[in-house]
Amino acid sequence: MSKSLISLSALSALALSAGLLSGAAQASEDLAKAKFCVGCHQIDKKLLGPAYKDVAKKYAGVAGAEGDLAKKIRGGSKGVWGGAEMPANSAVSEAEAATLAKWILSLK
């Protein structure tokens, strides 16, 4: 196989994976909207709760952050971002919480 054909195949694979990732990101944002997370959180600005990008910065490089965040999404938290309490969201399944946590932590 020629180098140009291999390079074209590699570029096609990258483009495809980028499209899939952006589709996954949109699906995760849609999930956040469906579960009413956006009533308190936005991607890049603080509302009642911190911006998702601020959460991603706070937990960048922290071991176990994805699992911890998923637990907070389902079970709520208090005192992590000051005095405000994040209520539990039992409408979010464990799988959905994991998806949301992974998405939030990917926002940089």
Side-chain angles (χ1 to χ4, degrees):
M1 196 179 276
S2 72
K3 275 188 167 184
S4 62
L5 188 54
I6 292 171
S7 296
L8 184 57
S9 295
L11 286 173
S12 296
L14 285 173
L16 178 60
S17 67
L20 291 175
L21 289 176
S22 102
Q26 184 60 49
S28 297
E29 186 174 353
D30 290 345
L31 179 60
K33 290 175 184 175
K35 298 299 179 174
F36 305 108
C37 304
V38 297
C40 296
H41 301 277
Q42 294 292 303
I43 290 176
D44 49 7
K45 70 178 180 180
K46 180 184 183 325
L47 287 180
L48 294 174
Y52 290 137
K53 285 187 176 185
D54 292 338
V55 175
K57 286 178 191 172
K58 181 173 186 158
Y59 292 103
V62 174
E66 192 174 312
D68 290 343
L69 187 56
K71 286 179 188 174
K72 289 175 184 175
I73 290 168
R74 283 184 42 90
S77 68
K78 185 175 182 176
V80 177
W81 294 89
E85 181 176 342
M86 184 173 116
N89 191 341
S90 59
V92 176
S93 70
E94 287 183 26
E96 290 168 332
T99 297
L100 288 167
K102 186 174 196 163
W103 170 67
I104 292 166
L105 294 172
S106 76
L107 299 170
K108 294 180 177 134

